[in-house]
Amino acid sequence: MTVSAKLFLVVVSLALGLRSTALAQGVAAPQSALSPENLSKQRPKAPFDLTGTWLHDNKDGPNSSRFVPPTFKLTPDAQEHYDAGQRATKEGKVYRDDIGQCWPAGMPLIMTRVWPIAMVQLPTAIYMTSAFMNSLRIIYLDGRPHSDPDIVVPSFNGESIGRWEGNTLVVDTKYFPGHHHWMDQGGASIPASDQLHIVERIRMINSGNVLEIEYTMTDPKSWDGEWKMTKRWNRVNEDITEVECWPDLNDHIRSTSSSSQIR
């Protein structure tokens, strides 16, 4: 059994142990987002409903999908990756193209892939499924706090907790894995560490046909200060389909087999 598998089993065991202890003490276990009891609770009506299919607006050019500001100051470790990436680019090569090797794009990159995202909004959560690798992201709206850091299982899209502030949905996302996760691919090779923290302020504009998200991001292991930017998505009339990413079956795709990759 690998170290990662053993760690996962330990985390799951701890979580189950805490749940059993709570039940033994007469404390009700938290309701899941899809439980009838949670869904039927009385709540104020949401200011808007994101249900639909959305596609990132790249009218400002291909770089509009990127999440790296024009200027930044990196930590020494992140700077090494950035410099190596710049050297690889000059040589016509790719530095650690993890997405091309079927590692998840992760937040925030998954939001601006050139594939649409299907969103379903319920009173307790928003479920987002990207047509890119069918990546799943969940934003919980039922008032739960972030999980205990000692038992949470980190993920590439993180744990997202949303709350309403007037007509704006504020989403706080953290708990990332800290490996094979990048703020950009094919451009600035800047890693996203396990300390990445993303706050989104989501609004619906243009009569509900445009989704606008203002990002504030920090990662003290990778850069100094806050990165801020605003992006938009357009509502589109299309469905997404099942997709899989299997490098061993995609030998004809350069991004999964090219010798130009820098590993």
Side-chain angles (χ1 to χ4, degrees), residues 37-48:
E37 295 83 358
N38 203 357
L39 287 168
S40 63
K41 285 182 180 179
Q42 293 297 314
R43 296 179 172 88
K45 183 179 179 181
F48 56 77

Side-chain angles (χ1 to χ4, degrees), residues 12-91:
V12 171
S13 298
L14 285 171
L16 292 175
L18 289 174
R19 186 178 187 276
S20 299
T21 300
L23 291 174
Q25 295 174 347
V27 178
Q31 292 290 338
S32 73
L34 295 180
S35 71
E37 295 83 358
N38 203 357
L39 287 168
S40 63
K41 285 182 180 179
Q42 293 297 314
R43 296 179 172 88
K45 183 179 179 181
F48 56 77
D49 189 337
L50 292 175
T51 298
T53 306
W54 301 87
L55 184 64
H56 175 247
D57 189 338
N58 63 355
K59 66 181 180 182
D60 293 329
N63 288 330
S64 63
S65 65
R66 302 188 186 282
F67 283 90
V68 177
T71 59
F72 48 81
K73 181 179 180 181
L74 302 179
T75 62
D77 287 345
Q79 187 69 46
E80 288 186 16
H81 286 290
Y82 177 79
D83 291 343
Q86 294 300 296
R87 290 194 296 270
T89 298
K90 291 179 180 178
E91 296 172 4

Side-chain angles (χ1 to χ4, degrees), residues 144-172:
R144 71 182 68 190
H146 276 290
S147 298
D148 187 320
D150 291 330
I151 64 171
V152 72
V153 178
S155 60
F156 284 87
N157 288 334
E159 182 183 71
S160 296
I161 304 295
R163 68 181 187 275
W164 296 101
E165 291 186 0
N167 292 327
T168 300
L169 176 60
V170 180
V171 182
D172 188 299

Side-chain angles (χ1 to χ4, degrees), residues 1-22:
M1 183 181 293
T2 66
V3 174
S4 297
K6 290 180 180 178
L7 179 59
F8 176 77
L9 290 176
V10 169
V11 170
V12 171
S13 298
L14 285 171
L16 292 175
L18 289 174
R19 186 178 187 276
S20 299
T21 300

Side-chain angles (χ1 to χ4, degrees), residues 107 137 163 169-174 197-202 213-218 227-229:
M107 278 289 290
R137 183 187 180 198
R163 68 181 187 275
L169 176 60
V170 180
V171 182
D172 188 299
T173 304
K174 58 182 180 178
H197 182 201
I198 302 173
V199 176
E200 297 161 285
R201 297 184 64 84
I202 303 176
I213 305 181
E214 175 189 287
Y215 288 85
T216 301
M217 301 179 289
T218 58
W227 286 1
K228 290 190 174 186
M229 57 207 65

